[in-house]
Amino acid sequence: MPDRYAVIGHPIAHSQSPRIHGLFAQATGQDLTYEAIDGGGQPGGFARALENFRAAGGRGMNVTLPFKLEALACADDANDTARLAGAANALRFEAGRIQACNFDGAGLVRDIMVNLSMPLAGADVLILGAGGAARGVILPIAQVGARRMLIANRTADKAWQLATEFAPHVATADNCCAIAGAGFDAVELAGAPFSIVINATSASLSGAAPAIPDRALAGARLAYDMVYGKGLTPFLRQAQNVGAQRIADGIGMLVEQAAEAFAWWRGIRPDTGPVIEQLAKPLV
Ligand code: ATR
C-alpha cells in the first residue's frame, strides 16, 4: 500500500500541490499518493477532515488557507518558525503525535538564494505587508544573515507591532539583523536603497499594487512578488519600470516549500528545477 499524503484547504480545487508532489514522487521513486481535501467552510470541518485522514492511515498533510492557524493549534509539537509565524503549512503524523512546521520562509529563502542566485547574507530587505504571509518569512530571512529588514504596511500600526514582536528573535548572537516597521509613506522607504524588495501583501491577488514610492524599488537587485501565476503584476511592473535589476514571482517559493515538506516526510529532497520549469508562467 502506498503511503498517503494530502493538502487541505477551502477552496482547494486550484491547488498545485497534488501535481507538484506527484512529480516529486515520480522523480524520486517514492511509493505514495497525494490528494486534495476540501476542509469545508463550517466550524470544525478542518479538525474532522484531519482526524478522518489520520484514522485512514494518512502520514502527513500540507495546509493552506484558511486553516494554517488551526493546523498549528492542533499540533503536539511545532518548530520555531511555525510558532513565531503563528501558522503551520505542513503536518506530519508520527508515533501518535501531530508535528507542525512552516516551510513558506524556507521556500522563499531557497528560491532567492539558490534559484535566483541573490545573496541574502548582508542584504537590506524591504518586506511589504504585515499579514500571515509576511509573518512566515521574517525569521528565515534573518536566519540566513540579512543585515536589515524594514517591514512596511498600508496600515503602519501592524508593521510596527510585527517589528516589535520579531525584534528579539531576529537579533540573535551570531546574526544581528535590525528590524523596523513603517507605513508606505515613511521616509525610510524613499531613502535608503534596498537590495531585495518582497511583496508579501495580498494586493496582487486583486490586481492592485502596494502604494510605495518608486525610489523604494529603483535600486533593487531583486523585486519578488510572493503570488504566482498572475504574470506581470502591478508591483512587478512598477519594479521593472523603475529599473529593478531582476523580477520574480512566487512559483519557485511554492515548489521549494513543497520540496521541504517532501524531504521532511520522506527523507529525500527532490530536484525542484524541472518542476519549477513546468509550472512557471511568463512574467508578461
Ligand atoms: P496574508 O495571509 O496573505 O498575508 P492577511 O493576513 O489578510 O493575508 O494580510 C494581507 C496583507 O496584505 C496586509 O498586510 C494588508 O495590508 P493592511 O494590513 O493594511 O490591510 C495587505 N494588503 C492587502 N491589499 C492591499 C493593497 N491593495 N495595498 C496594500 N496592501 C494590501
Side-chain angles (χ1 to χ4, degrees), residues 65 128-134 153-155 158 184 200-203 205-206 208-211:
L65 298 177
L128 307 172
N153 195 44
R154 179 174 61 182
T155 313
K158 282 207 238 166
F184 287 158
T201 73
S202 50
L205 294 175
S206 52

Side-chain angles (χ1 to χ4, degrees), residues 114-190:
V114 179
N115 301 332
L116 300 168
S117 304
M118 294 279 169
L120 273 165
D124 286 336
V125 182
L126 173 61
I127 297 179
L128 307 172
R135 258 183 181 278
V137 301
I138 294 172
L139 190 63
I141 290 174
Q143 283 170 335
V144 291
R147 190 176 75 94
R148 185 172 72 102
M149 237 185 282
L150 183 65
I151 314 295
N153 195 44
R154 179 174 61 182
T155 313
D157 275 14
K158 282 207 238 166
W160 294 328
Q161 275 170 29
L162 207 56
T164 306
E165 183 185 335
F166 274 79
H169 303 282
V170 302
T172 57
D174 49 338
N175 161 36
C176 217
C177 177
I179 186 167
F184 287 158
D185 56 356
V187 285
E188 296 97 304
L189 249 71

Side-chain angles (χ1 to χ4, degrees), residues 41 109 179 224:
V109 161
I179 186 167
Y224 192 103

Side-chain angles (χ1 to χ4, degrees), residues 253-274:
M253 174 180 174
L254 176 77
V255 175
E256 292 296 345
Q257 66 75 31
E260 294 293 318
F262 193 92
W264 187 48
W265 292 328
R266 308 300 299 178
I268 178 168
R269 198 178 201 284
D271 188 6
T272 49

Side-chain angles (χ1 to χ4, degrees), residues 21-38:
H21 283 277
L23 289 168
F24 287 167
Q26 209 174 32
T28 55
Q30 293 285 303
D31 189 19
L32 59 86
T33 63
Y34 190 102
E35 62 208 85
I37 297 175
D38 194 324

Side-chain angles (χ1 to χ4, degrees), residues 47-282:
R48 262 195 310 279
L50 174 79
E51 273 323 307
N52 288 343
F53 187 68
R54 272 181 89 196
R59 301 283 300 272
M61 274 179 149
N62 282 123
V63 183
T64 187
L65 298 177
F67 301 126
K68 291 185 179 189
L69 276 66
E70 270 185 84
L72 179 68
C74 79
D76 299 300
D77 312 300
N79 71 349
D80 279 355
T81 317
R83 246 184 269 116
L84 263 178
N89 82 334
L91 300 174
R92 186 166 70 180
F93 311 131
E94 217 167 76
R97 295 181 76 76
I98 301 178
Q99 303 169 335
C101 277
N102 189 323
F103 292 122
D104 287 334
L108 174 69
V109 161
R110 204 175 154 99
D111 193 33
I112 291 176
M113 292 173 60
V114 179
N115 301 332
L116 300 168
S117 304
M118 294 279 169
L120 273 165
D124 286 336
V125 182
L126 173 61
I127 297 179
L128 307 172
R135 258 183 181 278
V137 301
I138 294 172
L139 190 63
I141 290 174
Q143 283 170 335
V144 291
R147 190 176 75 94
R148 185 172 72 102
M149 237 185 282
L150 183 65
I151 314 295
N153 195 44
R154 179 174 61 182
T155 313
D157 275 14
K158 282 207 238 166
W160 294 328
Q161 275 170 29
L162 207 56
T164 306
E165 183 185 335
F166 274 79
H169 303 282
V170 302
T172 57
D174 49 338
N175 161 36
C176 217
C177 177
I179 186 167
F184 287 158
D185 56 356
V187 285
E188 296 97 304
L189 249 71
F194 297 95
S195 40
I196 296 179
V197 182
I198 298 166
N199 183 14
T201 73
S202 50
S204 302
L205 294 175
S206 52
I212 56 163
D214 285 348
R215 286 200 54 195
L217 281 162
R221 296 187 62 200
L222 171 67
Y224 192 103
D225 201 328
M226 276 166 57
V227 305
Y228 54 87
K230 300 269 175 201
L232 193 66
T233 61
F235 165 77
L236 292 178
R237 186 176 303 118
Q238 182 185 1
Q240 197 174 56
N241 287 345
V242 301
Q245 283 173 34
R246 186 151 187 192
I247 57 170
D249 75 356
I251 193 67
M253 174 180 174
L254 176 77
V255 175
E256 292 296 345
Q257 66 75 31
E260 294 293 318
F262 193 92
W264 187 48
W265 292 328
R266 308 300 299 178
I268 178 168
R269 198 178 201 284
D271 188 6
T272 49
V275 179
I276 295 173
E277 223 166 87
Q278 275 197 47
L279 268 68
K281 295 212 172 110

